[in-house]
Amino acid sequence: MRSDFGDLIVNEAIVHSIPKKRKSDLTPAKVQFSETVCSMNSTVRGELQLKFRDVLVSLGREVVVDNEFKAQLPGQVRAFLEGECDLVEASKEIAELLLASQPLNSSDGLLLVAAVTLDGHKSLLMVKLEPESGMQATEIITDTGLRTFDVTYFANLLFTEASRVYKIALFSAAGLSEDAMEGWAADKQMTGKQLAKFFREAFLGCRLKNEPRQVTLRFHDAAVDWINTRISDADTRVSYLMAVLVELQSPTPVLDPDDFIKSRLQAPHRESFAECLRDNEVPVQTFDKDIELVEPKLRKMRMTFDNGVFLIAPIEAVESDSLKIENLSDGRTRLTLTGVMTETRSFGQGKARPRPADPTGAPIESTVHDSAPERS
């Protein structure tokens, strides 16, 4: 699915107030419904679009409805996208579902439900947030001609930079099929690109489309294959592979392929690499990184030559001045290794072959043992 939301257009929106649920409540908490859509001028509409686009691009994760969660929201979203109900009707049902899915003592807040267009397709966007308070200072001239500021207090500010809770989900008609529904979700309250469990499972009824361990492994394997099949310059090959290994071993919990492409690859290679990722079902937008499956491949680098020679070296050695790689004019590569030789030994893999029997029929004893394991 897409990673660019620049063409997202907000057509109309409605806001409902979601109360806090308390265990001590004698009567169930109830949603305070709006009865019609919001009044928005072009400035407000434009600002909302910029906010939504920014959050979806930076934090959006692809999600797919999972029927095992038995959530009711997907049915309401499908009904709206297929024209079975209008925005006001759908939003009220969605607000009730949000209240029911929230854990006890969750903060009260607002739910904005918007009918939007994405790439020309009818779409539905939902945002759960806490209103903020603040003051605005406007410069004025008093009746006596003196310059000062008129300070106004606002109790219900929306989408400020300090918004503490900001959950968003987007579903498009383009992501609908007969038995499936895909979309995007983001949670500014969580670390990295994680989603609150109640929001993703109980409310949206979705699972992540890209399981972090699998997508991290696909990124590594696709990148390594691309380097070996598309890059002929030996020095560039090593540089790119080192960039991949360093990126995967970095402590950041997420990986942004688009940023990796722009910061690590030369301009002529960027589109080819992005195409390779798409072909291998690796999202170009940021995804959660989990190196559990690929971690053993990140410790050392192997370089193989056409004469049968290969070198296995720790990443630290490649990063240091111990190895020098030179591209020769005839297409060959010169690898210079500088260091103190500490050991030499024979090398092989597999089990020793049994020796043939003596012509007289008596077996010949052998004391050949398996070769030493591979060492770097």
Side-chain angles (χ1 to χ4, degrees):
M1 296 177 73
R2 65 189 295 148
S3 59
D4 175 23
F5 297 89
D7 59 357
L8 184 147
I9 303 298
V10 175
N11 299 314
E12 57 180 6
I14 186 169
V15 176
H16 303 294
S17 179
I18 310 297
K20 177 185 290 188
K21 294 191 302 183
R22 297 179 176 87
K23 190 175 182 179
S24 59
D25 289 342
L26 298 178
T27 57
K30 294 183 179 180
V31 177
Q32 297 179 32
F33 294 113
S34 295
E35 297 179 345
T36 188
V37 298
C38 304
S39 174
M40 296 186 294
N41 59 33
S42 59
T43 300
V44 171
R45 193 185 308 274
E47 288 298 319
L48 284 178
Q49 289 168 176
L50 289 176
K51 289 285 187 181
F52 298 152
R53 292 167 183 170
D54 179 65
V55 174
L56 288 167
V57 168
S58 60
L59 296 176
R61 303 180 62 181
E62 292 178 284
V63 294
V64 57
V65 170
D66 189 331
N67 293 329
E68 290 187 5
F69 295 127
K70 299 180 180 179
Q72 298 181 47
L73 178 77
Q76 293 296 329
V77 173
R78 183 180 288 273
F80 172 79
L81 294 178
E82 294 180 346
E84 298 176 7
C85 59
D86 63 16
L87 179 64
V88 175
E89 180 183 357
S91 68
K92 289 183 177 180
E93 295 291 342
I94 291 170
E96 292 277 22
L97 293 174
L98 177 59
L99 177 61
S101 65
Q102 287 189 155
L104 290 172
N105 294 321
S106 290
S107 301
D108 54 357
L110 301 175
L111 172 68
L112 180 147
V113 183
V116 303
T117 303
L118 184 65
D119 194 25
H121 296 284
K122 183 178 182 179
S123 306
L124 186 67
L125 184 142
M126 295 154 281
V127 185
K128 197 266 185 180
L129 64 151
E130 284 185 10
E132 303 288 329
S133 61
M135 295 187 182
Q136 181 185 60
T138 305
E139 185 177 337
I140 62 171
I141 303 297
T142 67
D143 294 339
T144 58
L146 300 177
R147 188 183 305 276
T148 187
F149 284 89
D150 178 44
V151 179
T152 305
Y153 175 78
F154 295 92
N156 293 298
L157 298 176
L158 304 182
F159 301 105
T160 68
E161 295 299 326
S163 292
R164 294 187 299 275
V165 177
Y166 193 159
K167 295 173 170 52
I168 185 169
L170 172 64
F171 294 94
S172 168
L176 287 180
S177 62
E178 185 175 346
D179 56 356
M181 184 166 74
E182 298 183 9
W184 301 265
D187 191 341
K188 289 189 69 175
Q189 191 181 24
M190 303 296 287
T191 303
K193 293 169 70 68
Q194 298 182 56
L195 302 172
K197 187 175 182 179
F198 93 85
F199 180 66
R200 178 173 61 84
E201 297 181 3
F203 178 55
L204 299 179
C206 290
R207 59 175 172 79
L208 298 177
K209 184 177 180 181
N210 295 302
E211 200 279 323
R213 294 182 305 167
Q214 293 295 335
V215 73
T216 303
L217 177 62
R218 291 203 303 272
F219 174 85
H220 170 274
D221 291 352
V224 172
D225 181 67
W226 177 83
I227 291 169
N228 284 309
T229 58
R230 303 292 184 89
I231 305 301
S232 57
D233 180 80
D235 194 32
T236 305
R237 275 189 179 183
V238 173
S239 175
Y240 282 178
L241 182 56
M242 284 297 302
V244 170
L245 300 182
V246 169
E247 181 71 28
L248 289 172
Q249 292 185 88
S250 70
T252 56
V254 297
L255 196 157
D256 185 345
D258 185 59
D259 180 68
F260 176 85
I261 290 171
K262 293 176 181 177
S263 62
R264 298 286 192 169
L265 304 186
Q266 300 171 26
H269 300 148
R270 292 171 184 168
E271 179 54 36
S272 172
F273 185 78
E275 181 182 359
C276 175
L277 294 185
R278 290 191 293 267
D279 289 345
N280 286 274
E281 299 182 347
V282 178
V284 179
Q285 72 270 26
T286 306
F287 60 83
D288 287 327
K289 182 175 65 177
D290 187 334
I291 65 171
E292 179 182 346
L293 299 180
V294 76
E295 194 274 335
K297 302 181 180 183
L298 307 181
R299 302 169 187 168
K300 298 179 181 180
M301 178 185 293
R302 171 170 173 152
M303 292 173 247
T304 304
F305 295 81
D306 62 354
N307 57 9
V309 174
F310 65 87
L311 172 70
I312 298 176
I315 300 302
E316 295 78 9
V318 181
E319 289 181 308
S320 68
D321 295 331
S322 301
L323 291 174
K324 183 179 179 181
I325 300 171
E326 298 176 80
N327 294 301
L328 305 180
S329 59
D330 59 2
R332 293 182 301 163
T333 301
R334 176 181 291 137
L335 179 64
T336 304
L337 172 63
T338 304
V340 177
M341 183 180 294
T342 60
E343 185 180 45
T344 58
R345 66 167 62 213
S346 58
F347 174 80
Q349 292 180 319
K351 295 183 178 180
R353 297 180 181 178
R355 298 182 64 182
D358 183 88
T360 63
I364 300 177
E365 294 185 0
S366 173
T367 57
V368 177
H369 300 284
D370 288 349
S371 298
E374 182 177 295
R375 296 172 65 92
S376 59

